[in-house]
Amino acid sequence: RKEVEQDPGPFNVPEGATVAFNCTYSNSASQSFFWYRQDCRKEPKLLMSVYSSGNEDGRFTAQLNRASQYISLLIRDSKLSDSATYLCVVSDSNSGYALNFGKGTSLLVTP
Amino acid sequence: DGGITQSPKYLFRKEGQNVTLSCEQNLNHDAMYWYRQDPGQGLRLIYYSQIVNDFQKGDIAEGYSVSREKKESFPLTVTSAQKNPTAFYLCASSILAGISGELFFGEGSRLTVL
């Protein structure tokens, strides 16, 4: 089952660019939404939670559209260190509230 | 420092052998999870546990077994019945069972079957 869908990329952008990632989810009962970041061969780490009202953390902005079951992440003024895979994550009440992970979108920021 | 410790980091196994991956957390979290990640794939849930002495199958539990005898520990056994065991295994915990919150991950265990 494809509960969380993301464009796998890769997205290759120059430093300073703005880049947006999108994600759709299939379970309308999902309650919690997150973006995680995963560096190559490392464990995922929480980047930010996503709230209905939208939220911003420095250069990162996350938006949630419950009606369309759509989540987005905007990265402004990209840095080389932003190069990673970004995972869209949605809660699953059917599995003890374990999180369902998308396959990730790969970002490469170039000089 | 609080966190999740997985061991071993790298493991090689011959076909037909069982292997157990260790996961220990000192965060006092109720819920613990095991995920598997294959190249180019998302994380897939193997097993989860919301409370000591209780655990549930995730999406891909076949060929795996777990135990949760202590709150801090949630070991995963990869049995010989698992057809494609070579993967990156990630253990995670969250503060309260039944509430989706941030997952804290260990550094992972890479299992290679020779």
Side-chain angles (χ1 to χ4, degrees):
Chain A
R1 63 179 175 185
K2 302 260 189 203
E3 298 218 6
V4 182
E5 297 261 16
Q6 292 181 253
D7 180 345
F11 283 62
N12 293 336
V13 302
E15 261 187 298
T18 295
V19 61
F21 304 140
N22 302 319
C23 166
T24 58
Y25 61 95
S26 60
N27 185 356
S28 59
S30 295
Q31 294 293 320
S32 303
F33 310 90
F34 308 89
W35 283 100
Y36 275 70
R37 170 191 169 131
Q38 186 174 25
D39 292 295
C40 187
R41 300 178 71 82
K42 299 283 191 183
E43 75 277 18
K45 292 186 179 174
L46 179 67
L47 179 66
M48 59 198 302
S49 301
V50 187
Y51 303 117
S52 296
S53 53
N55 48 301
E56 188 174 308
D57 182 1
R59 297 181 293 109
F60 299 84
T61 300
Q63 297 276 355
L64 167 64
N65 184 323
R66 283 188 185 270
S68 303
Q69 295 178 206
Y70 171 95
I71 305 162
S72 66
L73 176 68
L74 184 76
I75 304 176
R76 290 182 299 278
D77 188 23
S78 299
K79 312 289 184 195
L80 296 177
S81 57
D82 293 335
S83 298
T85 297
Y86 291 83
L87 306 173
C88 179
V89 185
V90 175
S91 68
D92 179 3
S93 59
N94 295 322
S95 299
Y97 293 89
L99 299 182
N100 276 326
F101 287 77
K103 292 184 180 180
T105 299
S106 176
L107 172 66
L108 178 62
V109 181
T110 55
Chain B
D1 274 33
I4 298 182
T5 302
Q6 287 187 242
S7 63
K9 211 164 188 175
Y10 299 93
L11 185 61
F12 297 89
R13 182 193 101 176
K14 291 182 182 177
E15 276 193 37
Q17 287 181 333
N18 290 359
V19 61
T20 297
L21 308 179
S22 168
C23 178
E24 303 278 331
Q25 54 102 355
N26 60 5
L27 299 167
N28 200 32
H29 284 176
D30 287 330
M32 297 187 74
Y33 308 87
W34 274 104
Y35 287 90
R36 165 184 174 142
Q37 187 175 35
D38 295 282
Q41 300 292 318
L43 278 68
R44 291 184 290 167
L45 182 64
I46 304 172
Y47 267 98
Y48 64 97
S49 169
Q50 297 177 278
I51 196 169
V52 174
N53 291 323
D54 186 56
F55 49 82
Q56 305 295 331
K57 292 181 179 179
D59 299 323
I60 55 164
E62 186 175 346
Y64 299 98
S65 66
V66 293
S67 63
R68 186 88 187 274
E69 296 175 4
K70 298 187 298 183
K71 187 175 186 177
E72 305 78 30
S73 179
F74 192 41
L76 174 74
T77 296
V78 185
T79 75
S80 55
Q82 168 50 232
K83 303 235 184 299
N84 297 296
T86 294
F88 185 39
Y89 290 89
L90 287 156
C91 179
S93 70
S94 64
I95 193 163
L96 285 174
I99 298 175
S100 273
E102 179 181 357
L103 283 187
F104 294 79
F105 283 91
E107 293 186 339
S109 294
R110 286 193 186 276
L111 172 63
T112 302
V113 174
L114 304 171

